[in-house]
Amino acid sequence: MTDAARIRNFCIIAHIDHGKSTLADRLLEVTGAVEERDMRAQWLDTMDLERERGITIKANSVSIRYKPEGGDEYLLNLIDTPGHVDFSYEVSRSLAACEGALLLVDASQGIEAQTLANAYLAIESGLEVIPVINKIDLPAADPERVAKEMVGILGGTTDEVLAVSAKTGAGVPELLDMIVAKLPPPGGVSDAPPRALVFDSYYDTYRGVVCHIRMVDGTLNKGDQVRFMATDVVAAADEIGIENPDPLPLAKLHRGEVGYLITGIKEIDLLRVGDTVTLATHGATEPLPGYSEPKPMVFSGIFPTDGDDFERLRDALEKLRLNDSSLVYRAETSRALGFGFRAGFLGLLHMEIVRERLEREYDLDLVTTAPSVEYEARTTDGIVKRVSSPQDLPDRAVLESIAEPYVKVMIITPSSYVGTVMELVQQKRGEMGEMTYLSPTRVEMHYDIPLAEIVFDFFDQLKSRTKGYASLDYEPGPYRTSDLVRVDILLNSMPVDAFSTIVHRDKAFQYGRRMSTRLRELIPRQLFDVPIQAAIGGRIIARETIKAKRKDVTAKCYGGDITRKRKLLEKQKEGKKRMKMVGAVEVPQEAFISALRIDE
C-alpha cells in the first residue's frame, strides 16, 4: 500500500502530434517501469492502427514508481490521452480521474487550437496544470516564444515553463520532480464506503468487460460484492489490480489509486463509463459526479457489400462497441444497398477509424454512405423530430422548417493567412465572432459554422490554404433554422435512397449536377436510355442521360424501298419503349462505392 499523500494522478494533454506518447515512453523508461530491452515506441498505444498512423485513439493508463533523490518513493498514475478533436471525450474522461495535467506544446509549432481547448478543459475541471515545451531538440524550435504564449494563456512566469525533449530524454528527470512537487495528492476519505469512478473500459474475450477505475473514497477488496450505481448491477470483484505497465493483480485498491476491475460481466450495456462503483451492501449512497457522455456528431450508413455478411457486421459492431462506448448504431434498410446500420460517430476521423477496424479486425467488405449530421425537423402540427438520415425527413406537405446544428469553431493561424481563412469560412456559411492576436504573428479566430459544412473537407481545405500552419478545434453549439432541402437522385424515375442528402438550397444544384454527372460515368449503358435526375420534391434541378446501346437492325437490309428500313427502326423504337417501362437498371457495387466517395 502506498500512502495517499505520495500518490500523484496526472494526464498528458496536447494537440495532435505534439509528442504525448513519446513523452509517456520516456517517463516509463526513466522510472524503470519498462526494461530497456523490452522498450518499444508508443508503448501505451496498443492498437495496430494507433502505431501505424502515429496517433493515440484510446486513452490508456499506467502506474509507475518514482523515487526522487533523497526522498520517499511516489506512485505516479499516468493517463495518456488522444490529441485529435474527435476524441476530446477521452480527454474529459482522463481529466475526471486526475488532479493534475501536463500541458504539452511543440517548441517549433507553438500553441494550437486543441492545446487551448484542452487547457480550458483542465482549468474548468480544477486541475493543476504544468506547462511543458517539447521537441526542444528540433532545429526550428523557439522555446522562448512558445513559453511567452503559454504564460499569456495560463498566467505565471516563463521560469515555470519546463523545456524537455521527449525524444532524447532531456529535461524528463526535472519534469518528474516537478510532478511530485507541484501536483496535489488525491482527495477523498479513507474510512468512507468505497467509491470508484469508471473512466474507461475494454472487452476481453475470456474475462468479459475490464473496467479502468479511479478509487476516490475507501478501499476495495478482491472478492467484494460490488454495485454499479447507474445500472444497479451487482457482481463480484473477481480481480482487481494496477497496470504496472502489465496488469498486476492486488488484494486491495486504496483511496487515490488507479487500477482495473474485472467482474466477469459480458454485457457492455450493464457497465457505463462514468458510473460509480461501490459495495453491494453498506455501500455509498451518493454517486460521483461523472463527465459528459460522448454525443455523436456525424452519421453514416454502413452496409456490407455481400448481403450475407449482415449478421457478421452486427456481431462486429457489438464487439467494437465494447471497446468504444461512443459508437452508436441502429439497423437500417436501403433499397439500393440492402440491410445495414446507421451509425453515429464523433467526427470524420472517428468514422474512418471505425470503418478501418471493422474491415481489418473482422474481415468485412463495407460500403459507407456520405456522412451527414443530425437535423431537427418541425412539422406543421408542432412536433420536432430528430433526423439523422435523409429518408427520415417528414413529407414536404407537413414539413414546416428544418434546423441544423452549428459548432463554435476556434482557428489559430499565422496572421498572413487571415484573409484566406476568412474567405474559406464565408464559403462555408460561417459567421465571425471575435479575433485575438496571441502574438504579432499568430491569430486566434472564432466562428459559428454549420456542422454539415465542416464534416466533409473543411479541415483539408484549411490545411492546404494555410500550407499546414492553421489548426482547428470545435465544440457543439445550438441548432438554427436554415433554408435546407432534401435532394433525391432518380435513376430511370426511381429514387436511389443511398444518394439522397440534405443540403442548403444554395448548394442543392451543385450537389445534384455533380452526383448525376458522376453516375453517368459510372453506370454501364443499358439497352435503353436511362435518365439520371436530381430533384427537390417534384422539381428536377439537374439531369444527365446514359445513352442506350444501339443495335444496327438495318445492317442486313440492303436495297429495296426505304420503308423497309423505316419499319425495322420503328419496331426497334417500340421495343425500347416497352423495355424502358419494365426494365430495371442494375447499379454495380463499384459505382456506389465510387459515387459515394466524392464527398469523403
Side-chain angles (χ1 to χ4, degrees):
M1 173 187 172
T2 303
D3 182 11
R6 295 203 306 277
I7 295 176
R8 299 291 183 268
N9 298 320
F10 66 98
C11 58
I12 306 176
I13 54 177
H15 190 79
I16 190 169
D17 200 31
H18 278 211
K20 296 175 299 303
S21 298
T22 312
L23 180 59
D25 289 347
R26 291 294 79 73
L27 291 173
L28 291 173
E29 200 172 59
V30 169
T31 55
V34 180
E35 294 287 338
E36 193 174 333
R37 65 173 182 271
D38 298 328
M39 195 66 202
R40 64 169 195 266
Q42 293 172 262
W43 178 272
L44 294 178
D45 292 342
T46 51
M47 268 190 272
D48 290 340
L49 266 177
E50 291 180 310
R51 306 179 68 77
E52 284 172 22
R53 290 170 174 250
I55 60 172
T56 302
I57 295 168
K58 194 167 175 59
N60 219 329
S61 63
V62 62
S63 299
I64 50 183
R65 298 192 176 275
Y66 175 64
K67 189 172 183 180
E69 281 189 35
D72 297 322
E73 187 178 68
Y74 284 80
L75 179 66
L76 309 181
N77 294 312
L78 157 67
I79 302 175
D80 183 27
T81 60
H84 196 279
V85 62
D86 279 10
F87 302 110
S88 57
Y89 79 105
E90 292 274 356
V91 178
S92 73
R93 298 209 289 223
S94 307
L95 296 175
C98 296
E99 282 78 39
L102 306 184
L103 183 66
L104 204 62
V105 176
D106 188 320
S108 60
Q109 296 180 25
I111 287 178
E112 307 266 14
Q114 193 65 25
T115 315
L116 276 181
N118 286 335
Y120 295 149
L121 265 177
I123 292 166
E124 286 167 14
S125 303
L127 270 63
E128 183 70 41
V129 179
I130 297 178
V132 183
I133 297 174
N134 189 23
K135 304 189 183 181
I136 56 171
D137 56 307
L138 290 179
D142 189 355
E144 289 81 11
R145 173 182 63 82
V146 176
K148 287 176 184 173
E149 285 184 9
M150 295 183 80
V151 167
I153 293 163
L154 299 174
T157 62
T158 52
D159 299 334
E160 296 171 359
V161 181
L162 279 175
V164 304
S165 170
K167 188 175 181 181
T168 65
V172 174
E174 291 80 2
L175 176 58
L176 284 163
D177 291 337
M178 177 72 84
I179 290 168
V180 167
K182 194 171 179 183
L183 297 188
V189 184
S190 296
D191 52 2
R195 287 195 303 172
L197 174 72
V198 180
F199 67 89
D200 202 1
S201 67
Y202 67 92
Y203 187 74
D204 185 286
T205 310
Y206 304 103
R207 317 197 69 180
V209 181
V210 180
C211 301
H212 285 290
I213 60 171
R214 152 72 199 274
M215 293 299 299
V216 177
D217 294 326
T219 302
L220 194 63
N221 300 289
K222 180 183 176 182
D224 281 347
Q225 288 289 317
V226 297
R227 180 167 69 92
F228 293 86
M229 297 181 78
T231 53
D232 211 30
V233 172
V234 175
D238 294 341
E239 183 178 311
I240 56 175
I242 60 172
E243 306 276 353
N244 193 34
D246 296 317
L248 176 66
L250 297 173
K252 299 181 177 185
L253 276 180
H254 301 277
R255 170 176 70 92
E257 292 184 332
V258 174
Y260 65 89
L261 165 68
I262 301 174
T263 57
I265 293 173
K266 299 275 186 179
E267 295 83 21
I268 190 72
D269 289 334
L270 299 180
L271 304 182
R272 293 181 187 165
V273 173
D275 199 355
T276 302
V277 183
T278 188
L279 293 180
T281 54
H282 307 296
T285 54
E286 284 291 317
L288 294 163
Y291 44 82
S292 57
E293 279 294 303
K295 185 183 173 193
M297 299 183 74
V298 177
F299 295 82
S300 175
I302 302 179
F303 297 86
T305 52
D306 184 350
D308 294 339
D309 287 340
F310 174 72
E311 288 301 328
R312 285 182 58 218
L313 176 58
R314 184 198 296 277
D315 293 341
L317 282 167
E318 283 177 4
K319 288 175 182 172
L320 194 59
R321 193 172 181 279
L322 296 174
N323 292 315
D324 186 354
S325 59
S326 62
L327 174 66
V328 297
Y329 61 90
R330 60 178 171 82
E332 183 180 61
T333 309
S334 164
R335 277 183 300 207
L337 299 171
F339 292 101
F341 293 91
R342 191 80 184 167
F345 309 94
L346 299 169
L348 281 189
L349 177 66
H350 186 216
M351 173 179 152
E352 192 182 326
I353 294 294
V354 167
R355 176 181 168 163
E356 199 162 335
R357 288 187 68 185
L358 286 170
E359 291 186 332
R360 182 183 296 197
E361 296 174 21
Y362 302 98
D363 195 26
L364 291 163
D365 196 10
L366 303 173
V367 177
T368 52
T369 61
S372 65
V373 301
E374 191 172 55
Y375 298 93
E376 284 184 353
R378 181 181 291 276
T379 57
T380 49
D381 53 3
I383 296 172
V384 177
K385 181 184 178 185
R386 286 288 179 103
V387 176
S388 60
S389 171
Q391 281 70 48
D392 298 336
L393 199 65
D395 189 78
R396 293 182 77 216
V398 297
L399 185 62
E400 184 180 291
S401 62
I402 309 174
E404 62 180 335
Y406 270 66
V407 287
K408 297 182 182 299
V409 171
M410 173 170 61
I411 298 170
I412 295 182
T413 179
S415 51
S416 55
Y417 296 112
V418 167
T420 310
V421 172
M422 283 182 170
E423 183 187 355
L424 172 63
V425 175
Q426 282 168 5
Q427 290 174 6
K428 300 291 184 181
R429 299 191 285 130
E431 297 174 7
M432 188 165 186
E434 59 182 350
M435 187 166 82
T436 310
Y437 276 82
L438 299 173
S439 70
T441 56
R442 288 168 70 77
V443 182
E444 177 187 336
M445 307 167 76
H446 291 261
Y447 285 96
D448 290 334
I449 306 178
L451 177 60
E453 295 286 351
I454 69 168
V455 297
F456 287 135
D457 60 350
F458 182 80
F459 187 68
D460 293 339
Q461 285 201 38
L462 180 69
K463 284 292 184 185
S464 63
R465 292 189 185 206
T466 60
K467 298 182 181 172
Y469 285 110
S471 60
L472 169 78
D473 182 68
Y474 60 84
E475 60 180 45
Y479 275 74
R480 296 193 200 174
T481 302
S482 300
D483 187 10
L484 301 170
V485 292
R486 186 177 82 185
V487 180
D488 293 314
I489 302 297
L490 311 178
L491 204 57
N492 201 19
S493 302
M494 292 293 292
V496 184
D497 51 9
F499 298 132
S500 296
T501 190
I502 299 172
V503 295
H504 194 269
R505 192 180 294 276
D506 293 346
K507 299 195 174 183
F509 172 75
Q510 182 186 351
Y511 174 82
R513 168 63 62 198
R514 191 176 63 219
M515 187 60 86
S516 51
T517 305
R518 183 81 167 161
L519 286 173
R520 188 194 67 196
E521 297 166 358
L522 294 168
I523 296 174
R525 293 168 70 188
Q526 314 290 315
L527 290 171
F528 53 92
D529 283 0
V530 179
I532 303 169
Q533 299 164 306
I536 300 174
R539 188 165 69 89
I540 305 300
I541 58 170
R543 174 182 169 129
E544 293 286 342
T545 304
I546 303 171
K547 301 304 288 182
K549 290 179 183 174
R550 184 156 183 260
K551 181 181 177 184
D552 190 358
V553 291
T554 62
K556 294 180 182 177
C557 183
Y558 54 90
D561 198 332
I562 187 67
T563 53
R564 291 181 62 200
K565 289 188 178 181
R566 194 169 291 145
K567 194 185 293 181
L568 288 169
L569 290 168
E570 287 295 326
K571 190 177 178 184
Q572 182 188 42
K573 190 175 176 183
E574 286 296 318
K576 284 187 180 293
K577 196 174 183 180
R578 192 166 59 250
M579 188 184 290
K580 187 170 182 179
M581 289 168 64
V582 297
V585 182
E586 286 294 324
V587 182
Q589 200 74 49
E590 296 74 28
F592 275 113
I593 296 169
S594 301
L596 292 170
R597 200 165 278 152
I598 66 171
D599 279 327
E600 283 187 2

